[in-house]
């Protein structure tokens, strides 16, 4: 097995060509979801909250929702879309008649999921900035975080998608994994302040918590050692899952 | 040899899909692999272009060890898959562009190749509508066009004409002949014996993952069956009355009421059938590859009494 970047980019371009055709349909639900949360929870519920984590509630919420948008962008891509390409469209069967190899397919797909995370997170960041909720230029530090969030959720989703026997199981992924993550990963309230001391480690296991914490620090313009741990978590978990996905991808494509 | 397989086997779980198969495809020929459903044709082709890894055996393509030169080999061959794979929302041109990039083609060469294959397969009139609106015939032409984007030296086609109407099949045959005339080697599978007989220089008949026999279609027919075939509807009792011990059919094939006799000279049997009942349906024809196929892959063919 070997990776060829030009071939991986050809895979990426296939997805981009398809996306150009359907982006209006795709982007609306993905993108508006965090907008609605910002309006409903941020403005609605936020009106009854003086401050959270030392800032006005909207300012607390906004950077976290940027990460959520990135998470959603990557997740849709590596769940339904990958599954359809793999089992119904047989897109990879066609690719593997050319010099493209399974490693290139994996790299191209991960790259594309990261791109979508960047598109969704980036658009949402513009909304947040336009609403005056992002400190500029310091808040721009959130941007390099978007591909990292994309990478993390691309690898998590891929490992799931490559192993499930049928498409219905994605509802488990969304309702039993992504939704609880969204609700409990420091997005709406600081989880650590609500957990008993001996359960604190649970918070650290949640993947979304780390990008959210980093994003909030980026908006606050503060740097602290815990950010190194957050970065390490994201990179290490992504790397391990990527190796796992690589094995599964090879098995699925070359039986 | 363009393709060389030596004792290649593929085992899926407990199922032996390909069983110690030897295959030699010489350059510049159209080579057909024939065999019943599940015989292992698709699996064999997949091993030739390297997506399915053989459980045992060695494969060389273009004289290169496939395991070591996978990308190099794939860049020189084209594959028409058994099932079409397209991006249905995009047009043929857009599909060709995406596929050309898999071969790392760039502008302006990419557009040049697209024009080339669109002209070659006469797709021009439908080149700008979404693929999902194309008829089966146009879709199949597009599938072949995709596999020609890299100007392959070896074209691998898995049932290229299944499900197509006679006119489209004729058109595709002429394209395939043209490619071969320009020096490409074609390796195809088909369930149509007339197609194999008219298109292929050599065929290998496979059954249960093994090559049962191999050769030029005409030679295979001559080697296995007498040249004339007579088909008659009759019961087994009527049959022995017809033959009457004096006519010696080399072999016969019975499917339900219909019996086919293979004879070096059909005339005496035809006379006898006419004499017995001049309205009895009767077909006299040359023996063809289908007869050989049925004989070799086992549809209860017995030697005549
Ligand atoms: N990925 C796989 N996993 C398990 N079994 C498989 C797999 N691919 C093929 N087989 C089995 O291997 C055998 C040969 O299949 P193959 O598709 O090569 O046949 P074929 O000659 O192309 O048939 P057809 O004429 O129907 O296309 C079949 O029994 C099939 O069920
Ligand atoms: Mg097949």
């Amino acid at each position: 097995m070997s990776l060829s970047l030009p071939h991986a980019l050809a895979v990426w371009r296939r997805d981009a060509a398809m996306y150009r055709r359907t982006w209006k349909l795709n982007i609306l639900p993905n993108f508006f979801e965090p907008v609605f949360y910002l309006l409903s929870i941020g403005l609605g519920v936020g009106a009854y909250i003086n401050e959270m984590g030392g800032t006005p509630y909207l300012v607390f919420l906004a950077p976290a929702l940027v990460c959520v948008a990135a998470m959603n962008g990557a997740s849709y891509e590596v769940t339904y879309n990958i599954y359809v390409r793999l089992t119904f469209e047989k897109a990879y069967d066609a690719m593997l008649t050319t010099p493209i190899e399974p490693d290139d397919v994996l790299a191209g797909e991960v790259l594309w999921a990261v791109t979508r995370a960047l598109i969704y997170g980036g658009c949402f960041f513009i909304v947040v900035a336009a609403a005056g909720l992002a400190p500029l230029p310091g808040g721009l530090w959130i941007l390099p975080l978007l591909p990292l969030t994309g990478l993390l959720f691309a690898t998590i989703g891929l490992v799931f998608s490559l192993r499930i026997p049928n498409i219905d199981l994605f509802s488990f992924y969304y309702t039993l994994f992504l939704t609880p993550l969204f609700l409990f990963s420091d997005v709406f309230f600081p989880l650590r302040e609500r957990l008993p001391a001996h359960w604190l480690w649970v918070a650290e296991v949640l993947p979304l918590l780390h990008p959210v914490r980093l994003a909030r620090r980026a908006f606050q313009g503060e740097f602290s050692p815990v950010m190194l741990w957050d970065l390490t978590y994201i990179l290490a978990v992504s790397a391990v899952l990527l190796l796992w996905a690589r094995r599964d991808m090879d098995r699925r494509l070359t039986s | 040899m363009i393709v060389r397989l030596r004792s290649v086997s593929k085992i899926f779980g407990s199922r032996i899909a390909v069983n110690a198969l030897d295959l030699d495809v010489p350059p510049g020929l159209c080579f057909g692999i024939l065999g019943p459903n599940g015989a292992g044709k698709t699996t064999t082709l997949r091993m030739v272009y390297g997506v399915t890894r053989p459980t045992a055996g060695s494969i060389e393509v273009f004289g290169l060890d496939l395991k070591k030169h996978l990308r190099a080999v794939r860049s020189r061959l084209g594959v028409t898959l058994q099932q079409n794979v397209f991006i249905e929302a995009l047009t043929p041109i857009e599909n060709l562009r995406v596929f050309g990039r898999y071969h790392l083609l760039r502008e302006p060469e990419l557009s040049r190749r697209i024009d080339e294959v669109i002209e070659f397969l006469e797709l021009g009139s439908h080149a700008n509508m979404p693929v999902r609106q194309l008829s089966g015939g146009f879709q199949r032409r597009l599938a072949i066009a995709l596999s020609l984007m890299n100007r392959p030296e070896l074209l691998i086609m898995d049932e290229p004409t299944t499900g197509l109407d006679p006119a489209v099949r004729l058109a595709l045959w002429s394209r395939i002949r043209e490619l071969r005339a320009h020096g490409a080697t074609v390796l195809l599978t088909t369930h149509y014996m007339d197609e194999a007989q008219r298109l292929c220089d050599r065929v290998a008949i496979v059954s249960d993952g093994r090559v049962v026999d191999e050769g030029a279609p005409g030679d295979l027919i001559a080697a296995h069956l007498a040249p004339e075939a007579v088909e008659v509807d009759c019961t087994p009792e009527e049959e022995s009355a017809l033959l009457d011990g004096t006519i010696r059919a080399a072999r016969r094939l019975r499917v339900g009421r219909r019996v086919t006799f293979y004879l070096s000279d059909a005339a005496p049997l035809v006379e006898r059938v006419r004499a017995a009942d001049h309205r009895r349906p009767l077909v006299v024809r040359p023996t063809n590859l289908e007869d050989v196929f049925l004989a070799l892959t086992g549809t209860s063919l017995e030697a005549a009494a």
Side-chain angles (χ1 to χ4, degrees):
Chain A
M1 283 201 283
S2 62
L3 175 65
S4 150
L5 203 55
H7 289 105
L9 284 176
V11 176
W12 182 91
R13 293 188 77 149
R14 177 210 186 262
D15 295 337
M18 232 178 126
Y19 185 65
R20 265 209 306 279
R21 190 48 63 88
T22 57
W23 68 273
K24 286 183 198 125
L25 286 178
N26 275 314
I27 206 163
L28 287 174
N30 281 229
F31 173 70
F32 275 104
E33 198 182 340
V35 174
F36 290 145
Y37 278 104
L38 196 62
L39 292 176
S40 156
I41 310 289
L43 285 176
V45 178
Y48 301 92
I49 301 169
N50 283 332
E51 55 134 71
M52 193 169 286
T55 61
Y57 190 58
L58 258 181
V59 175
F60 178 83
L61 195 59
L65 287 179
V66 174
C67 291
V68 171
M71 172 181 89
N72 286 343
S75 296
Y76 286 114
E77 197 53 45
V78 294
T79 52
Y80 290 105
N81 287 359
I82 291 261
Y83 192 86
V84 166
R85 271 172 226 148
L86 199 61
T87 34
F88 302 121
E89 294 178 353
K90 306 269 180 208
Y92 306 134
D93 282 0
M95 290 179 190
L96 264 61
T97 68
T98 73
I100 291 175
E101 291 220 49
D103 278 357
D104 310 330
V105 172
L106 181 69
E109 292 294 9
V110 169
L111 216 54
W112 175 246
V114 166
T115 307
R116 280 201 49 183
L118 204 56
I119 296 172
Y120 287 107
C123 287
F124 195 74
F125 175 75
I126 292 170
V127 172
V128 165
L133 295 171
L136 292 172
L140 290 174
W141 275 109
I142 203 172
L143 294 182
L145 210 54
L146 300 178
L148 286 178
T149 311
L151 177 68
L152 180 60
F153 284 95
T155 55
I156 295 173
L158 263 172
V159 167
F160 187 82
S161 301
L162 289 170
R163 309 195 128 237
I164 54 169
N166 75 68
I167 196 165
D168 299 325
L169 291 172
F170 283 126
S171 60
F172 283 77
Y173 188 76
Y174 280 90
T175 49
L176 295 184
F177 179 63
L178 289 187
T179 302
L181 274 190
F182 175 49
L183 293 174
F184 296 107
S185 299
D186 267 17
V187 176
F188 298 106
F189 63 92
L191 182 62
R192 300 183 64 86
E193 295 178 12
R194 313 300 318 153
L195 278 179
H198 59 279
W199 283 108
L200 281 182
W201 62 271
V202 173
E204 298 301 317
V205 175
L206 302 178
L208 181 59
L209 183 107
H210 303 277
V212 165
R213 203 151 60 187
L214 285 168
R216 210 162 266 144
R217 295 290 169 131
F219 266 38
Q220 289 165 350
E222 276 174 35
F223 292 84
S224 74
V226 74
M227 295 172 76
L228 279 179
W229 153 237
D230 290 328
L231 269 179
T232 310
Y233 175 100
I234 294 173
L235 292 173
V237 170
S238 300
V240 169
L241 294 180
L242 201 56
L243 287 178
W244 199 356
R246 181 188 186 207
R247 228 192 41 194
D248 286 345
M249 184 67 104
D250 189 63
R251 187 176 47 79
R252 288 291 296 263
L253 297 191
T254 65
S255 67
Chain B
M1 289 296 153
I2 294 291
V3 178
R4 197 183 127 110
L5 270 61
R6 283 293 169 274
S7 6
V8 169
S9 299
K10 180 66 191 182
I11 301 171
F12 294 109
S14 61
R15 171 154 204 116
I16 305 175
V18 175
N19 191 353
L21 189 101
D22 291 327
L23 199 69
D24 285 296
V25 180
L29 294 194
C30 180
F31 192 103
I33 300 180
L34 316 179
N37 289 127
K41 302 181 296 297
T42 298
T43 306
T44 303
L45 295 186
R46 280 171 63 88
M47 289 194 286
V48 170
Y49 63 89
V51 265
T52 294
R53 297 190 191 116
T55 311
S58 71
I59 301 175
E60 281 178 17
V61 183
F62 306 124
L64 300 169
D65 180 355
L66 190 61
K67 271 203 291 271
K68 292 192 196 114
H69 303 274
L70 195 53
R71 278 190 214 266
V73 165
R74 282 215 204 117
S75 70
R76 292 165 63 186
L77 58 79
V79 181
T80 306
L81 295 168
Q82 186 168 352
Q83 274 179 298
N84 295 333
V85 174
F86 305 124
I87 308 176
E88 300 240 321
L90 304 188
T91 65
I93 292 200
E94 290 165 325
N95 271 277
L96 289 163
R97 176 160 287 125
V98 165
F99 198 86
R101 291 219 179 87
Y102 297 164
H103 286 286
L104 305 187
L105 293 172
R106 293 198 205 170
E107 298 295 355
E109 182 63 16
L110 181 57
S111 290
R112 199 155 39 226
R113 298 275 180 102
I114 292 173
D115 293 344
E116 188 179 295
V117 296
I118 283 190
E119 195 193 308
F120 184 67
L121 287 149
E122 294 169 51
L123 280 162
S125 57
H126 293 66
N128 286 305
M129 57 172 64
V131 167
R132 72 163 69 90
Q133 291 175 16
L134 299 183
S135 69
F138 271 103
Q139 292 203 355
R140 206 59 185 148
R141 281 195 236 178
L142 176 59
I144 296 173
L146 290 172
S147 58
L148 296 179
M149 278 300 283
N150 59 328
R151 297 194 184 134
E153 296 160 56
L154 168 65
L155 185 58
I156 296 175
M157 311 177 98
D158 202 355
E159 299 188 26
T161 67
T162 296
L164 301 181
D165 71 44
V168 176
R169 289 176 69 203
L170 276 175
L172 289 184
W173 291 351
S174 90
R175 293 294 166 252
I176 294 169
R177 286 199 194 96
E178 206 169 314
L179 288 167
R180 189 194 52 181
H182 283 92
T185 305
V186 181
L187 173 60
L188 59 78
T189 73
T190 179
H191 286 299
Y192 299 116
M193 295 304 129
D194 58 327
E195 175 165 291
Q197 202 167 345
R198 291 164 71 172
L199 194 57
C200 296
D201 305 293
R202 280 182 83 77
V203 297
I205 297 179
V206 296
S207 181
D208 290 328
R210 286 177 161 282
V211 175
V212 190
D213 202 359
E214 198 206 304
D219 296 348
L220 280 183
I221 297 168
H224 289 279
L225 294 173
E228 299 190 1
V230 178
E231 295 182 28
V232 195
D233 281 341
C234 63
T235 63
E237 299 79 55
E238 290 171 319
E239 181 187 323
S240 38
L242 277 176
L243 291 177
D244 191 23
T246 55
I247 296 173
R248 195 136 294 171
R251 302 185 87 172
R252 55 163 203 203
L253 167 71
R254 172 177 282 281
V255 181
R257 268 182 66 77
R258 169 135 311 198
V259 191
T260 307
F261 299 98
Y262 300 100
L263 305 144
S264 46
D265 179 12
L269 178 63
V270 172
E271 250 168 57
R272 176 122 2 132
V273 172
R274 290 262 154 77
D277 175 0
H278 63 95
R279 281 169 318 185
R280 190 189 287 280
L282 174 77
V283 177
V284 186
R285 57 172 176 80
T287 302
N288 59 35
L289 198 56
E290 188 155 301
D291 298 306
V292 178
F293 180 87
L294 294 172
L296 290 180
T297 59
T299 300
S300 59
L301 188 76
E302 324 135 36

